[in-house]
Amino acid sequence: MENGSGPEGQERSRKWSQAPGNIEDLDEYTALQKYISTYRDPRAADSAENQAKDGADAHKDKAWWQFWRSGTSAQATDKDAGVVPEEWLDADIKQGLTNAQVEERRRRFGWNEITTEKENLFIKFLMFFTGPILYVMEVAVVLAAGLRDWIDLGVIIGILLLNAAVGWYQEKQAADVVASLKGDIAMKAIAIRQGQEQDIKARELVPGDIVIIEEGQTVPADARLICDYDTPEDFEKYKELREQHALDPEEDPAGSEEKEGEEGEGVAHQGHSIIATDQSAITGESLAVDKFMGDVVYYTTGCKRGKAYAVCLTSAKFSFVGRTATLVQGAKDQGHFKAIMNSIGTALLVLVMFWILAAWIGGFFRHLKIATPSESDNNLLHWTLILFIIGVPVGLPVVTTTTLAVGAAYLAKQKAIVQKLTAIESLAGVDVLCSDKTGTLTANQLSIREPYVSEGEDVNWMMACAALASSHNIKSLDPIDKVTILTLKRYPKARDILKDDWKTEKFTPFDPVSKRITTICTLRGDRFTCAKGAPKAILNLSSCTKEQADLFRDKATEFARRGFRSLGVAYQKNNEPWVLLGMLSMFDPPREDTAQTIVEAQQLGVPVKMLTGDAIAIAKETCKMLALGTKVYNSQKLIHGGLSGSTQHDLVERADGFAEVFPEHKYQVVEMLQQRGHLTAMTGDGVNDAPSLKKADCGIAVEGASEAAQAAADIVFLAPGLSTIVFAIKTARQIFQRMKSYIQYRIALCLHLEIYLVFSMIVIQETIRADLIVFIALFADLATVAIAYDNAHSEQRPVEWQLPKIWVISVVLGIELAIATWIVRGTLFLPSGGIVQNFGNIQEILFLEVALTENWLIFVTRGANTLPSWQLVGAIFVVDVLATLFCIFGWLSGGITTEPLPSPMGAFYHRQTPHGWTDVVTVVVVWAYSIGVIIFVAITYFLLNQIPGLADLGRKNRSLHDTQMENIIGHLSKLAIKHENDEHGESRWVIVGKSSEEAEDD
């Protein structure tokens, strides 16, 4: 038996070598042999044909010119939403649906996918005119119309339209890039269509489709189990039960377990369990749930065992997960970033109201009229209009949105899909990264080193038993099972053993309780039970001598110290005692770039905490290889180690990682770090990682992640390894730097003109013409939209909105610019004309000086760490040229000022040209003066950033220690509410301490 030799073995070998080409047509063990021989590492991208098909599907049922259409199906309707006709669920498991039936059902139910509510593009464009800041500008439009100031009216409307158009286009462009990449992570399904098994996208399923659900797959829709794949004859029994209404109705999965325990409730399970699914993302239970004939399996849950036919009950939109998603679809939580933008916008609106009030009070003392004279800007409504235009940062929402959208498109090109724009801002501030080990820190390329074989046992028989105790579903193999089976290439005699007449009776996959995989199989009348799993679990099965057990434990410890994952192997023949065969040593090498990227992450102020399900010895050895700290603790110390409150939080904060973790441990680690004030990023790839990904400030689904993990994450990576995460952090910080520099610039601009104009209104009863003011605002917006494309540096520490620091610096810069403008205005009072060399116009000279200094201010606030991009330089150069032409040719200057000018203005008054022109020499002097102002402002900005007290002003404490509150919460977690009846039979609730068993369950 062990060698598979003899005539029978040779005959089986001959049959196997002549097996047909289609591996799905072979029996279990023949297919396994063929898989071992023909396996090639498929590390290549999908074919161009699939990509082209994905692109075609994206535009299916929508003509190129129907840009306003948000749906993908022309005839989709909400008629009888979610209710599937009973006769639709009658398809035969061998024939399935026809193409005509599929099209008919899709017209009614649409595509089988959960999508965020797609906005009409025109409505989305209109949304760029909403918000407190924009409402004030719209009031300015009404005011300009009321004053019949048509130039101002046109330019203000132009500014609003420009901002909306740029923001709409950039956001749409980023969304298109992300959407094009999302095809790479589309869920797949196997459906029976027109009598054939077809691999299709899960989004193409319709109610009534017969699907095949198997181990390793994600359930592609809410579906009712029909029968085991290997026993299609049970379909008749299913139909009988269905006619008798003896099947469980679809219900809340979270309540299904409770219902089963109630007497007289529900329907008895039919036969044995067909498959098991992981519902942890829905119910939180970590163990797989057994599913029987007629049970409902839920969309996005993972199949952990078995293979079965099922019928789709409804489309994703009306599934259990889909209905839950619609509850929060309307809540567009933009979180921290939206709060920051709102606070800045609100503060600027309050400031402009203050300055308007000051101007009106001064105007009343000057006996100014509210709206007359109508041809002059010296009336209170014109002053209000001017202050509205300069004081309201109309471009603030659009520039920040554009910067985020451009950044998201750039990240998408680097194979990082940003599913929520504001996640970029969160990622820039992250100061702790909790990372998986397998597949992220390591290459997820397990290899089996030289195994340990118990004395007197055959290594070939041990390897054959290890392969028997593995999943044989070659289409979706667990990495451990895969490497176990493929290692048989090195053991031809073990392969010969598997060529014998083996029959699998029962396969029990790995679960966290037993910590082993078990297969019951038969060979010519003998019953073999083969097991592989954690060394301790396998050792407990066997009845070996103490010497053998000690040697086995010592070997397991040695393997762990060397960074190997150990798997014990044992078997039982018939009812004889279990025989301990030995141990496999598996090694998952770190990625080549991991150690370097961890060092880079630490240099960026983002320490990496490793969370792994491996044993603590393996975790520590991996940490040593990666130059991570070795303060790695067993998850039992975290949960059941007697720690609570502040001590427990301290442990999490100082730990370099945790071993033997379950999903609830990951969630708890993230939660405790957040309670300490840390912004935490979490990487994950499995369905059970979804809760912790959702909880983290920035959830990251790594390459190869399940659909549930991708749905819960803020960012999805399509490229492998940790280097992508470090790259994304650097990019996010660059994007943050662009937004921060723009906000400092915009606040300083508002204060500059508010301070100058209000004082000039009150003191000398003069202002810059409203026509010119709107062009100053237009030029500022035109120039700074290009900030989204600017070169920015990445800070070496986590960034955050230090609003007090931003306001202090912006106020100082705004005051300096206002003083510089007052100096220009002051020189014009000199008999010589001051800054004017030959002839000029007061309005145009002030306009040019303000426009130049304001446009160049962005070069100051962006910092000198990088050179500005050509887009930013080009945009500012264009508007500077326009401002210069305005000044030279006197556009919109209003000609000579007709109102009396204060003394000693007389000499210069007569040097003004009637058409408002300014000589070129004067323009050159204004340029030179403006350059001097910007140099002075830049020196001030540099010095302000060197002040120690200002550097950390507004920076949050990233390690909060509220010891008292943490201890209170820790003590409360040890209490429970107990329901009991007193001696009089009356019901009452009392607070009691949890028993040790309850504490462990928690």
Side-chain angles (χ1 to χ4, degrees):
M1 178 197 72
E2 294 187 2
N3 296 322
S5 55
E8 290 183 5
Q10 292 171 5
E11 176 63 18
R12 276 189 295 275
S13 181
R14 185 186 65 79
K15 284 182 180 177
W16 171 78
S17 65
Q18 295 175 357
N22 191 354
I23 202 164
E24 285 88 355
D25 297 334
L26 308 179
D27 65 71
E28 179 182 349
Y29 286 93
T30 308
L32 197 64
Q33 292 284 352
K34 184 157 189 171
Y35 175 72
I36 294 169
S37 295
T38 61
Y39 175 79
R40 297 289 181 273
D41 193 359
R43 295 184 179 274
D46 289 339
S47 66
E49 179 185 348
N50 285 341
Q51 292 178 7
K53 185 174 182 292
D54 289 350
D57 285 348
H59 300 284
K60 198 170 183 179
D61 294 333
K62 183 165 76 171
W64 64 270
W65 47 269
Q66 292 174 309
F67 60 88
W68 63 86
R69 286 263 311 277
S70 59
T72 51
S73 173
Q75 291 97 5
T77 175
D78 285 335
K79 176 186 174 186
D80 300 330
V83 179
V84 177
E86 198 69 19
E87 62 273 13
W88 280 20
L89 307 180
D90 287 338
D92 184 81
I93 62 170
K94 291 300 181 187
Q95 293 302 314
L97 300 180
T98 64
N99 290 337
Q101 288 174 310
V102 169
E103 288 303 320
E104 177 198 348
R105 297 176 188 197
R106 186 170 296 137
R107 279 196 294 272
R108 178 160 166 184
F109 282 88
W111 296 98
N112 179 55
E113 59 186 352
I114 298 174
T115 55
T116 53
E117 188 177 344
K118 293 189 178 179
E119 297 173 281
N120 180 296
L121 293 181
F122 179 68
I123 299 296
K124 190 172 183 179
F125 177 73
L126 292 181
M127 294 304 291
F128 281 94
F129 296 94
T130 62
I133 290 173
L134 293 154
Y135 293 150
V136 174
M137 283 302 283
E138 285 150 20
V139 169
V141 169
V142 175
L143 192 54
L147 293 168
R148 290 177 291 179
D149 202 335
W150 307 121
I151 294 176
D152 293 354
L153 175 67
V155 177
I156 295 170
I157 291 173
I159 292 172
L160 288 169
L161 287 171
L162 172 73
N163 279 288
V166 170
W168 177 86
Y169 173 74
Q170 293 291 358
E171 203 167 292
K172 180 181 179 299
Q173 193 176 44
D176 289 345
V177 172
V178 171
S180 68
L181 278 178
K182 278 196 173 180
D184 295 347
I185 56 174
M187 197 191 304
K188 303 293 193 295
I190 304 171
I192 310 296
R193 296 269 179 89
Q194 311 221 119
Q196 293 182 334
E197 291 185 15
Q198 297 181 13
D199 287 319
I200 61 173
K201 289 183 181 177
R203 72 187 296 267
E204 297 173 10
L205 292 174
V206 295
D209 250 325
I210 302 296
V211 292
I212 297 170
I213 297 169
E214 59 182 330
E215 179 188 334
Q217 268 192 344
T218 300
V219 177
D222 277 8
R224 189 180 299 284
L225 289 180
I226 295 174
C227 61
D228 194 294
Y229 183 79
D230 295 326
T231 55
E233 59 273 11
D234 287 347
F235 182 46
E236 297 302 321
K237 181 182 177 184
Y238 169 83
K239 288 196 289 188
E240 288 176 17
L241 292 171
R242 191 166 176 273
E243 289 170 5
Q244 297 165 11
H245 302 286
L247 300 175
D248 269 330
E250 183 186 357
E251 57 186 11
D252 183 344
S256 60
E257 295 301 316
E258 297 174 12
K259 189 172 179 180
E260 287 168 16
E262 297 175 13
E263 291 184 13
E265 295 279 352
V267 178
H269 287 312
Q270 306 296 331
H272 62 86
S273 166
I274 301 175
I275 66 171
T277 59
D278 180 353
Q279 297 184 171
S280 58
I282 298 175
T283 64
E285 54 189 326
S286 57
L287 295 182
V289 178
D290 286 334
K291 295 289 182 177
F292 300 79
M293 179 184 290
D295 284 357
V296 175
V297 289
Y298 296 95
Y299 179 56
T300 72
T301 59
C303 180
K304 291 295 187 183
R305 170 178 56 79
K307 185 174 183 180
Y309 289 105
V311 58
C312 296
L313 295 175
T314 186
S315 65
K317 181 180 178 182
F318 304 106
S319 66
F320 174 80
V321 172
R323 292 196 305 269
T324 305
T326 56
L327 296 177
V328 295
Q329 200 167 66
K332 297 185 179 178
D333 177 27
Q334 295 180 1
H336 183 248
F337 179 70
K338 183 174 174 60
I340 293 292
M341 292 301 103
N342 284 345
S343 71
I344 293 170
T346 302
L348 289 172
L349 287 178
V350 170
L351 268 177
V352 78
M353 293 303 172
F354 166 78
W355 291 114
I356 288 172
L357 179 63
W360 274 57
I361 292 171
F364 282 131
F365 277 102
R366 291 282 186 179
H367 306 292
L368 286 186
K369 304 296 183 185
I370 290 178
T372 57
S374 58
E375 71 280 356
S376 170
D377 285 342
N378 272 328
N379 59 62
L380 295 181
L381 283 182
H382 264 101
W383 284 10
T384 303
L385 176 63
I386 289 168
L387 289 171
F388 269 160
I389 294 167
I390 62 165
V392 178
V394 65
L396 180 65
V398 172
V399 171
T400 51
T401 298
T402 299
T403 305
L404 288 171
V406 170
Y410 178 69
L411 282 170
K413 290 175 183 174
Q414 306 300 319
K415 300 292 185 182
I417 299 176
V418 178
Q419 303 199 116
K420 191 169 70 173
L421 277 182
T422 52
I424 295 174
E425 186 250 358
S426 299
L427 186 60
V430 159
D431 65 333
V432 176
L433 173 61
C434 297
S435 175
D436 280 337
K437 180 178 81 73
T438 306
T440 305
L441 300 177
T442 61
N444 197 19
Q445 293 178 334
L446 284 173
S447 60
I448 291 183
R449 303 303 173 94
E450 198 61 34
Y452 161 71
V453 185
S454 297
E455 189 177 350
E457 300 299 334
D458 178 26
V459 65
N460 295 295
W461 173 232
M462 184 182 84
M463 295 305 299
C465 281
L468 288 169
S470 302
S471 167
H472 297 162
N473 176 18
I474 56 179
K475 292 174 71 177
S476 181
L477 280 173
D478 172 88
I480 292 176
D481 287 346
K482 183 176 181 179
V483 72
T484 303
I485 291 168
L486 292 175
T487 302
L488 264 60
K489 285 184 177 182
R490 305 205 313 253
Y491 297 92
K493 289 185 179 179
R495 289 183 63 186
D496 289 341
I497 293 170
L498 290 184
K499 290 175 186 177
D500 217 326
D501 194 21
W502 292 96
K503 302 290 181 190
T504 301
E505 286 188 356
K506 184 180 180 183
F507 172 71
T508 306
F510 180 86
D511 72 74
V513 177
S514 68
K515 295 190 176 181
R516 63 176 183 265
I517 301 172
T518 309
T519 298
I520 299 173
C521 47
T522 59
L523 177 67
R524 293 192 295 276
D526 287 323
R527 186 170 181 267
F528 290 86
T529 306
C530 302
K532 80 169 189 283
K536 190 184 295 184
I538 297 299
L539 187 60
N540 290 339
L541 285 177
S542 67
S543 53
C544 60
T545 63
K546 185 179 183 301
E547 290 75 15
Q548 280 183 305
D550 290 343
L551 186 58
F552 188 82
R553 290 192 193 96
D554 291 344
K555 203 66 182 177
T557 304
E558 180 194 333
F559 282 159
R561 282 176 183 157
R562 292 166 59 191
F564 296 163
R565 179 185 294 183
S566 304
L567 281 181
V569 183
Y571 82 100
Q572 180 188 42
K573 183 177 180 181
N574 298 322
N575 292 319
E576 297 172 10
W578 281 87
V579 178
L580 186 64
L581 292 173
M583 194 184 315
L584 305 179
S585 60
M586 296 185 169
F587 182 60
D588 183 10
R591 291 182 181 276
E592 292 179 3
D593 62 342
T594 299
Q596 176 62 31
T597 50
I598 285 175
V599 170
E600 288 182 23
Q602 291 168 340
Q603 289 172 347
L604 291 172
V606 185
V608 179
K609 294 184 185 293
M610 183 175 74
L611 305 178
T612 177
D614 284 338
I616 190 165
I618 297 173
K620 285 188 175 181
E621 185 64 28
T622 306
C623 283
K624 288 177 186 175
M625 294 179 187
L626 297 173
L628 276 171
T630 53
K631 289 183 285 188
V632 180
Y633 303 102
N634 190 301
S635 61
Q636 293 300 311
K637 184 169 184 179
L638 173 65
I639 306 299
H640 306 309
L643 302 178
S644 64
S646 186
T647 311
Q648 196 177 32
H649 285 71
D650 288 339
L651 173 70
V652 170
E653 205 170 17
R654 71 169 181 264
D656 296 311
F658 289 95
E660 300 180 25
V661 296
F662 290 126
E664 55 269 28
H665 301 150
K666 294 182 181 180
Y667 186 93
Q668 189 167 4
V669 167
V670 171
E671 186 175 44
M672 287 183 179
L673 288 170
Q674 288 175 328
Q675 288 168 355
R676 278 288 170 97
H678 295 284
L679 274 177
T680 308
M682 175 75 204
T683 68
D685 58 359
V687 174
N688 50 14
D689 289 327
S692 52
L693 290 174
K694 201 76 174 173
K695 176 66 177 171
D697 297 288
C698 186
I700 300 168
V702 296
E703 182 222 15
S706 68
E707 288 87 353
Q710 290 167 353
D714 301 309
I715 301 177
V716 179
F717 287 121
L718 301 182
L722 194 66
S723 57
T724 312
I725 298 172
V726 173
F727 171 79
I729 290 172
K730 289 180 178 178
T731 304
R733 291 185 186 179
Q734 290 172 345
I735 294 166
F736 180 92
Q737 188 64 32
R738 294 183 189 112
M739 290 191 295
K740 182 181 172 184
S741 61
Y742 170 75
I743 285 167
Q744 282 185 322
Y745 159 84
R746 203 66 182 83
I747 294 173
L749 253 61
C750 293
L751 290 169
H752 169 202
L753 281 175
E754 285 169 347
I755 294 169
Y756 170 75
L757 288 176
V758 170
F759 278 96
S760 70
M761 289 170 182
I762 295 171
V763 176
I764 62 174
Q765 203 172 326
E766 178 189 278
T767 182
I768 299 174
R769 283 173 54 84
D771 296 345
L772 294 173
I773 286 290
V774 293
F775 275 95
I776 288 175
L778 177 63
F779 289 167
D781 280 345
L782 277 172
T784 54
V785 163
I787 193 72
Y789 299 93
D790 189 26
N791 301 321
H793 74 283
S794 172
E795 292 280 355
Q796 286 299 107
R797 63 189 292 190
V799 295
E800 58 186 293
W801 293 104
Q802 295 173 257
L803 288 184
K805 178 182 176 181
I806 287 174
W807 275 101
V808 168
I809 291 175
S810 299
V811 168
V812 172
L813 299 186
I815 290 172
E816 286 187 347
L817 290 174
I819 291 171
T821 306
W822 261 113
I823 290 171
V824 171
R825 184 66 186 90
T827 66
L828 299 180
F829 283 99
L830 297 174
S832 62
I835 204 169
V836 177
Q837 302 303 303
N838 297 309
F839 56 88
N841 180 276
I842 295 174
Q843 291 287 320
E844 296 290 357
I845 290 169
L846 289 175
F847 169 79
L848 180 60
E849 191 274 341
V850 168
L852 292 178
T853 53
E854 288 198 346
N855 289 339
W856 295 343
L857 181 64
I858 192 65
F859 293 131
V860 175
T861 59
R862 68 178 295 281
N865 299 82
T866 57
L867 292 173
S869 67
W870 67 266
Q871 292 98 328
L872 184 63
V873 172
I876 290 176
F877 177 75
V878 168
V879 295
D880 286 350
V881 169
L882 284 172
T884 304
L885 293 175
F886 265 75
C887 184
I888 290 173
F889 295 109
W891 296 338
L892 303 179
S893 66
I896 295 177
T897 305
T898 56
E899 297 173 4
L901 292 169
S903 179
M905 188 60 216
F908 174 61
Y909 176 76
H910 296 292
R911 294 165 65 184
Q912 290 190 97
T913 54
H915 37 60
W917 286 18
T918 302
D919 70 290
V920 175
V921 179
T922 300
V923 167
V924 171
V925 173
V926 174
W927 268 72
Y929 174 80
S930 299
I931 290 171
V933 170
I934 285 301
I935 291 172
F936 183 81
V937 169
I939 293 170
T940 304
Y941 183 80
F942 174 77
L943 293 175
L944 286 172
N945 279 288
Q946 300 306 307
I947 299 173
L950 197 58
D952 291 322
L953 183 65
R955 189 176 285 278
K956 293 180 181 176
N957 184 357
R958 293 298 184 102
S959 184
L960 300 171
H961 289 264
D962 191 347
T963 306
Q964 186 177 7
M965 183 55 67
E966 287 171 354
N967 288 334
I968 290 171
I969 294 171
H971 290 309
L972 287 175
S973 68
K974 295 179 179 179
L975 301 177
I977 297 175
K978 183 179 179 182
H979 180 253
E980 61 180 24
N981 294 323
D982 60 17
E983 63 273 12
H984 303 296
E986 293 184 2
S987 176
R988 66 175 184 174
W989 299 88
V990 293
I991 297 176
V992 297
K994 287 184 180 178
S995 66
S996 57
E997 291 83 2
E998 286 174 316
E1000 286 183 15
D1001 287 344
D1002 285 349

